[in-house]
Amino acid sequence: MRIALVAAAGLVLAVAACSESTVETPEPAAPAAPVMLGGVNLNGSLRALGTEPFWGVDINPDGLVYTALDSPEIRAANPGPTVQGTTAVYASATEDGTALVVTLIATECSDGMSDRTYPLTARVELGGQTLNGCAADYAFLTRDL
């Protein structure tokens, strides 16, 4: 009887070992290589801005947010940039289908109101309106002049 119990226990362990599924743990995804334009990492958070009229577009991994004086905030998805040479284009649309296109160009830019020189020139097309300004990453915008 004892031999039968030991044999049965061995059989159960053998079946359990054979039936275990091997779950492979996937390798962690490698961080995306930085997409650079004019020394600015386009994978991070950026801000395009302009004066007369004052406007801004925050470019974050989770979306584009347009703001302006006397205007409601306008949001769109961030499809990521299409980079060709010295130009990056974020082509999206707002919830109501209005085109929002942000073009960044790797040329220095002055906002005309400060002594700051931005690393990128920006053009924003929202519906039928075109706005011109400058752009940089948040680290550039928050550092002292």
Side-chain angles (χ1 to χ4, degrees), residues 28-113:
V35 178
M36 303 298 288
L37 182 71
V40 176
N41 182 353
L42 301 181
N43 293 350
S45 295
L46 314 168
R47 182 161 175 80
L49 52 94
T51 59
E52 298 181 30
F54 288 99
W55 60 270
V57 176
D58 290 305
I59 303 169
N60 297 302
D62 61 338
L64 308 174
V65 181
Y66 169 85
T67 54
L69 295 176
D70 302 325
S71 175
E73 183 177 273
I74 298 171
R75 295 181 169 273
N78 180 350
T82 300
V83 180
Q84 291 185 345
T86 60
T87 303
V89 177
Y90 297 82
S92 191
T94 64
E95 289 179 359
D96 69 2
T98 302
L100 174 59
V101 179
V102 179
T103 303
L104 303 177
I105 305 160
T107 58
E108 290 186 341
C109 178
S110 171
D111 63 15
M113 297 197 66

Side-chain angles (χ1 to χ4, degrees), residues 25-31:
T25 304
E27 292 291 321

